Amino acid sequence: MTRLSRAAILAVGSELLTPTRMDTNSLFVTDQLNRLGIDVIFKCVVGDDREELARAVRTAFDLADLLVCSGGLGPTDDDLTREVVAEVLRRPLSEDAELASGIRARFASRGVLMPAINLRQAMVPAGARVLANKNGTAPGLWLEEEGRIVLLLPGPPRELKPMLGMVIESLRERAGGFSLVRRVVRITGRTESQAEQSLQPLYAEWGRRTVPVAATILAALGQIELHLSARSASHADADAALIQAIDDVRASLGLDVYSVDGSSLEQVVGNMLVERGLRIGAAESCTGGLVTSRLTDVPGSSRYVDRSIVAYSNAAKTELLDVPAEVIAAHGAVSEEVALAMASGIRSRARVDVGIGVTGIAGPSGGSSEKPVGTVVVAVQTPSLARARTFRFIGERELVKFQASQAALDMVRRLLLEL
Amino acid sequence: MTRLSRAAILAVGSELLTPTRMDTNSLFVTDQLNRLGIDVIFKCVVGDDREELARAVRTAFDLADLLVCSGGLGPTDDDLTREVVAEVLRRPLSEDAELASGIRARFASRGVLMPAINLRQAMVPAGARVLANKNGTAPGLWLEEEGRIVLLLPGPPRELKPMLGMVIESLRERAGGFSLVRRVVRITGRTESQAEQSLQPLYAEWGRRTVPVAATILAALGQIELHLSARSASHADADAALIQAIDDVRASLGLDVYSVDGSSLEQVVGNMLVERGLRIGAAESCTGGLVTSRLTDVPGSSRYVDRSIVAYSNAAKTELLDVPAEVIAAHGAVSEEVALAMASGIRSRARVDVGIGVTGIAGPSGGSSEKPVGTVVVAVQTPSLARARTFRFIGERELVKFQASQAALDMVRRLLLEL
């Protein structure tokens, strides 16, 4: 008997092909299957069209040993999943007497005449197991074909989820008894290709281990994520393989790894502040409050955030943060001197241990050849250390702001590690 | 020549097959193609696997006359889209000298040694048109095969969107000449079901018009969007139908409609401030800088934002915003009295026309039976008017913060309308 390990998910419904709707069932299904050690290797969305649906079913079933279809099981003309799957698997459909009488009874109990079309929901492909729908009218179906399985589930999440629950034990028996475990490593301070180059030798090594570890790198501006997964008969072995892989990444990338448990950068910084009993304040120009907003996204951040200043104008920097007007005049508002003065100013004004200063040109205007749009200076000051760094970020205004906030939080993290 | 009418969209990347990630590019691509009268008939997601990707490309290209692929164009080993598509279409790959020198130059300009792996991005299938990527390193590709088109776009939305824009006119020339026009109406100040109830009679009426207008309502906490679309051979007719529908919505919902052209609430408020020659400042407690960060997300916001204060602690409210300690003691930090004093404090301290005060309990802790988590008070003060309102938001910490910022900006909008 084939051990299920590779699943495809097919969502049926023309509405899922419009610009405002998405198939979200597949996320739930993926999570449930992953827990059984079954990988999802292919997902697709197809409209209510016989030929396209048949084509999609064939492709998906060729690639996978488990095919989960959602939607298209209703009574109307455009509900085609049952018929098309029966046709692809060459199983004749016949009316299931029990289902048919159940449907009749349901209408009768409401005193409504049953439109004949509803009996389509009682049609069952030969050899299929019928899955009762406690939350709706369309029954689900479980079909086997040469050791592989096709599962037809209704589209509405409140019907699909409990029905998948009904068959999860059957799926577990058929799965390899494997556990698929995932971990995300978050990295900052280098580009995707720089990270990739350092990690490449590891990928090869991980592939050769007793419990192989698979890796995918995901990069966005200001943040790189390395998604690791391991599959093993033993959950503990899979977990151990990931822990070792994470150690390898740390050994390779050092302090550029800031999170291995899903924590955000603001959570990591927040934990470090709490551990060290330190408080923090920010003097923000181009980030406009974003650094402090991120710091305060963390529950309990009132333990280390007391106040911050958004000083957009030069006058605000001088009046609220004691940045000398002469320093701004001599070096420009976007300079390491001003950023350091801002960090120092918020530290003493807010009477906190760690001060952040951020000043820059978020764009789209305001740039010069010497200081183009995207130039941002971040300074961090602690009682014993002070550091300033000039960045050149790319992207639009909001992205520059995000990268600047990321750089500021990361500089705090690195400085706290030295304390 | 085939008129393009049926598109398939293929998203490539193993991370898009995990329980926590979705392909969202396809929504944007669908919207753009729909505007050209091109229907999307098939969408799929496939991992970084050569055989599965090839199979998906074949299926999609068989079903559609336009195939749009996103992702998998980067420099690393698991970026396979270019190679697999070249193989399926039987086009040999060769290095494009111009692309190669561009990549070398980009690394040189940053003073970084180029990892050799980056040259994979200079490989081009025979006969392909190269699409320059102004926002990243991976170039896109346009291939034709027997009148049908394959478009390879990079995965990051900020690279994909402008690149699709570059080819949209070429696609329009090849499409059938129908126009599908869409508009989004943004609404605040009422719940989804309240909005739906007011709009339902309009839906029926729109369906009967010469150019029918279709509507979908999309609700998130703090914001409702009404998506309208109309299809016609004449772009002007479709446009006119939508303009009339928008007028109907305004007549029904009044001031609760804040945007009909895609503008965000912060843009709407920013425009109103500029028109009226007013400046604004915020005194933020539970929003932690989010209100000011949103205000400064708008290009040119330095015209009306000078400074803001994040006053998390009671001491900060008193020291930086002149909120009398007795008022805090008498009414609590989360009270209309304190919010009004904060708004007044920032107005005079920042010497601006409009002051915002926000204080509340973002959670998860800090709530009481009288003031549960989610309680937020927003006050807005102008030279002639002052208003305070207490909200009870639901959802987690970040959602409470967002809803509070939305309420604050919306109160500013409504107050400015009265000036």
Side-chain angles (χ1 to χ4, degrees):
Chain A
M1 192 172 63
T2 320
R3 286 274 158 217
L4 303 179
S5 66
R6 297 153 53 88
I9 302 175
L10 176 56
V12 185
S14 295
E15 75 282 3
L16 298 173
L17 292 167
T18 59
T20 51
R21 293 286 297 269
M22 302 207 77
D23 153 44
T24 50
N25 281 329
S26 63
L27 300 183
F28 174 81
V29 174
T30 300
D31 183 46
Q32 296 292 309
L33 296 181
N34 283 178
R35 287 164 195 256
L36 305 179
I38 301 173
D39 253 331
V40 172
I41 56 155
F42 181 70
K43 290 209 299 195
C44 75
V45 180
V46 67
D48 306 309
D49 176 281
R50 207 171 276 272
E51 188 199 337
E52 291 156 15
L53 179 52
R55 187 69 212 256
V57 168
R58 276 192 204 102
T59 299
F61 202 45
D62 277 1
L63 288 170
D65 39 40
L66 167 65
L67 169 59
V68 180
C69 299
S70 67
L73 295 182
T76 69
D77 273 352
D78 58 6
D79 289 307
L80 299 165
T81 309
R82 191 173 21 236
E83 287 169 32
V84 168
V85 168
E87 200 180 290
V88 169
L89 299 185
R90 294 199 187 79
R91 308 279 185 105
L93 282 161
S94 59
E95 191 176 292
D96 181 284
E98 200 179 326
L99 281 176
S101 71
I103 295 169
R104 282 201 186 87
R106 204 161 40 235
F107 277 88
S109 76
R110 287 188 288 160
V112 179
L113 195 72
M114 184 192 76
I117 197 173
N118 283 278
L119 285 179
R120 289 184 64 181
Q121 294 189 321
M123 299 300 283
V124 171
R129 168 179 158 202
V130 174
L131 307 171
N133 187 340
K134 288 169 195 152
N135 302 285
T137 59
L141 294 167
W142 167 294
L143 292 118
E144 301 205 19
E145 179 83 10
E146 296 171 5
R148 292 177 303 160
I149 290 166
V150 182
L151 198 52
L152 308 189
L153 303 175
R158 56 182 292 279
E159 301 177 27
L160 176 137
K161 292 181 181 182
M163 198 180 284
L164 185 59
M166 285 168 53
V167 297
I168 208 79
E169 286 311 316
S170 307
L171 288 173
R172 191 193 309 278
E173 284 167 20
R174 300 292 298 274
F178 279 92
S179 278
L180 182 71
V181 184
R182 297 180 187 278
R183 291 283 286 271
V184 175
V185 178
R186 295 203 162 124
I187 298 158
T188 190
R190 56 177 80 195
T191 67
E192 180 184 12
S193 60
Q194 287 167 340
E196 185 80 0
Q197 211 169 21
S198 309
L199 295 171
Q200 212 121 41
L202 293 177
Y203 296 168
E205 195 190 322
W206 293 341
R208 290 190 299 267
R209 293 202 177 145
T210 325
V211 178
V213 172
T216 309
I217 203 160
L218 274 185
L221 291 175
Q223 176 159 295
I224 294 172
E225 290 184 357
L226 182 68
H227 290 233
L228 303 175
S229 63
R231 183 202 305 266
S232 167
S234 141
H235 187 89
D237 287 353
D239 228 25
L242 287 188
I243 287 169
Q244 191 182 340
I246 287 171
D247 285 345
D248 297 339
V249 175
R250 280 193 193 280
S252 167
L253 303 183
L255 295 183
D256 289 358
V257 173
Y258 70 82
S259 158
V260 300
D261 61 358
S263 300
S264 65
L265 188 50
E266 47 271 35
Q267 284 171 320
V268 170
V269 168
N271 289 341
M272 293 174 78
L273 290 166
V274 170
E275 278 164 18
R276 289 162 177 74
L278 300 174
R279 295 194 310 156
I280 195 165
E284 307 191 46
S285 184
C286 67
T287 42
L290 181 60
V291 173
T292 310
S293 182
R294 288 184 63 186
L295 281 168
T296 59
D297 277 347
V298 180
S301 44
S302 57
R303 281 177 291 175
Y304 46 86
V305 175
D306 184 272
R307 66 192 69 182
S308 278
I309 303 283
V310 178
Y312 231 49
S313 69
N314 290 346
K317 293 179 181 70
T318 302
E319 293 170 24
L320 300 180
L321 297 163
D322 311 310
V323 180
E326 315 79 74
V327 173
I328 299 178
H331 303 280
V334 179
S335 61
E336 303 205 345
E337 289 79 1
V338 168
L340 282 165
M342 290 170 70
S344 160
I346 189 68
R347 250 196 84 222
S348 59
R349 288 282 192 122
R351 300 184 299 275
V352 291
D353 312 284
V354 184
I356 301 173
V358 188
T359 176
I361 304 147
S365 62
S368 64
S369 57
E370 197 199 343
K371 293 174 184 174
V373 166
T375 304
V376 175
V377 188
V378 178
V380 179
Q381 198 190 58
T382 70
S384 54
L385 294 167
R387 203 149 293 165
R389 213 180 132 189
T390 304
F391 299 87
R392 292 271 154 83
F393 298 122
I394 55 170
E396 305 214 325
R397 184 176 179 87
E398 286 182 49
L399 281 167
V400 169
K401 283 180 65 182
F402 175 75
Q403 291 172 90
S405 72
Q406 192 77 351
L409 294 173
D410 194 44
M411 279 181 66
V412 171
R413 178 181 71 92
R414 290 175 196 258
L415 218 60
L416 291 180
L417 286 171
E418 295 179 33
L419 291 188
Chain B
M1 191 172 65
T2 321
R3 286 269 156 222
L4 302 180
S5 66
R6 296 153 55 87
I9 302 176
L10 177 56
V12 185
S14 295
E15 74 282 3
L16 298 172
L17 291 167
T18 59
T20 51
R21 294 287 297 268
M22 301 207 77
D23 152 45
T24 52
N25 281 327
S26 64
L27 299 183
F28 174 81
V29 173
T30 300
D31 182 46
Q32 296 292 308
L33 297 180
N34 284 178
R35 287 165 196 254
L36 307 178
I38 300 173
D39 259 329
V40 172
I41 58 154
F42 181 71
K43 293 209 297 196
C44 75
V45 180
V46 67
D48 306 309
D49 176 281
R50 208 169 274 273
E51 188 199 338
E52 291 157 15
L53 179 53
R55 186 71 212 257
V57 167
R58 278 193 201 101
T59 298
F61 202 45
D62 277 0
L63 288 170
D65 39 42
L66 167 65
L67 169 59
V68 180
C69 299
S70 68
L73 295 181
T76 68
D77 272 351
D78 57 6
D79 289 307
L80 298 166
T81 309
R82 190 174 22 236
E83 287 167 34
V84 168
V85 168
E87 200 180 291
V88 170
L89 299 185
R90 295 198 187 78
R91 309 277 186 104
L93 283 161
S94 58
E95 189 176 295
D96 181 286
E98 200 177 324
L99 282 176
S101 71
I103 294 169
R104 282 201 188 85
R106 202 160 43 236
F107 276 88
S109 77
R110 287 189 288 159
V112 178
L113 195 72
M114 183 193 76
I117 196 172
N118 283 279
L119 284 179
R120 288 184 63 181
Q121 297 190 130
M123 299 301 284
V124 172
R129 170 179 157 202
V130 173
L131 307 172
N133 187 342
K134 289 171 193 148
N135 301 286
T137 58
L141 294 167
W142 166 293
L143 292 120
E144 301 206 19
E145 180 83 9
E146 296 170 8
R148 292 178 301 160
I149 291 166
V150 181
L151 198 53
L152 307 190
L153 303 176
R158 56 179 294 277
E159 302 178 26
L160 176 138
K161 291 180 180 185
M163 197 181 284
L164 185 59
M166 285 168 55
V167 297
I168 208 79
E169 286 310 317
S170 308
L171 290 173
R172 193 193 306 279
E173 283 167 21
R174 303 287 297 271
F178 264 93
S179 275
L180 182 71
V181 184
R182 296 179 189 276
R183 292 281 287 273
V184 175
V185 178
R186 295 203 163 125
I187 298 157
T188 189
R190 57 177 82 196
T191 66
E192 181 183 14
S193 59
Q194 287 167 339
E196 186 82 1
Q197 207 166 23
S198 308
L199 294 170
Q200 211 115 48
L202 294 177
Y203 297 168
E205 196 190 320
W206 294 341
R208 290 190 299 265
R209 292 199 178 147
T210 325
V211 177
V213 172
T216 309
I217 204 161
L218 277 184
L221 290 175
Q223 176 159 293
I224 294 170
E225 290 185 354
L226 182 68
H227 290 233
L228 304 174
S229 64
R231 187 200 296 263
S232 167
S234 144
H235 186 90
D237 287 353
D239 227 26
L242 286 189
I243 287 169
Q244 193 183 340
I246 287 171
D247 285 346
D248 298 339
V249 175
R250 279 194 194 279
S252 168
L253 303 184
L255 294 184
D256 289 358
V257 172
Y258 70 81
S259 159
V260 299
D261 61 358
S263 300
S264 65
L265 188 50
E266 48 270 35
Q267 283 170 322
V268 169
V269 167
N271 290 339
M272 293 174 79
L273 290 165
V274 170
E275 279 163 20
R276 288 163 177 74
L278 300 175
R279 296 194 309 157
I280 196 165
E284 306 191 47
S285 184
C286 66
T287 43
L290 181 60
V291 173
T292 309
S293 182
R294 288 185 61 186
L295 282 167
T296 60
D297 278 346
V298 180
S301 45
S302 57
R303 281 177 293 176
Y304 47 86
V305 175
D306 185 90
R307 65 191 71 179
S308 277
I309 303 282
V310 178
Y312 230 49
S313 69
N314 290 345
K317 293 178 182 72
T318 302
E319 292 170 25
L320 300 180
L321 297 163
D322 310 312
V323 179
E326 315 80 72
V327 173
I328 300 178
H331 302 281
V334 179
S335 61
E336 304 205 344
E337 290 79 1
V338 168
L340 282 164
M342 289 170 70
S344 161
I346 190 68
R347 250 196 84 221
S348 59
R349 287 282 191 118
R351 300 184 297 276
V352 292
D353 312 284
V354 184
I356 300 173
V358 188
T359 176
I361 303 146
S365 62
S368 65
S369 57
E370 198 201 343
K371 293 174 185 174
V373 167
T375 304
V376 175
V377 188
V378 179
V380 180
Q381 197 190 58
T382 70
S384 54
L385 293 167
R387 204 149 291 165
R389 213 181 133 189
T390 303
F391 298 86
R392 290 272 154 83
F393 297 123
I394 55 169
E396 304 212 326
R397 185 175 177 88
E398 286 183 48
L399 280 168
V400 169
K401 284 181 64 183
F402 175 76
Q403 291 172 89
S405 72
Q406 191 78 350
L409 294 173
D410 194 45
M411 278 180 66
V412 171
R413 178 181 72 93
R414 289 174 197 257
L415 218 60
L416 292 179
L417 287 172
E418 294 179 33
L419 291 187

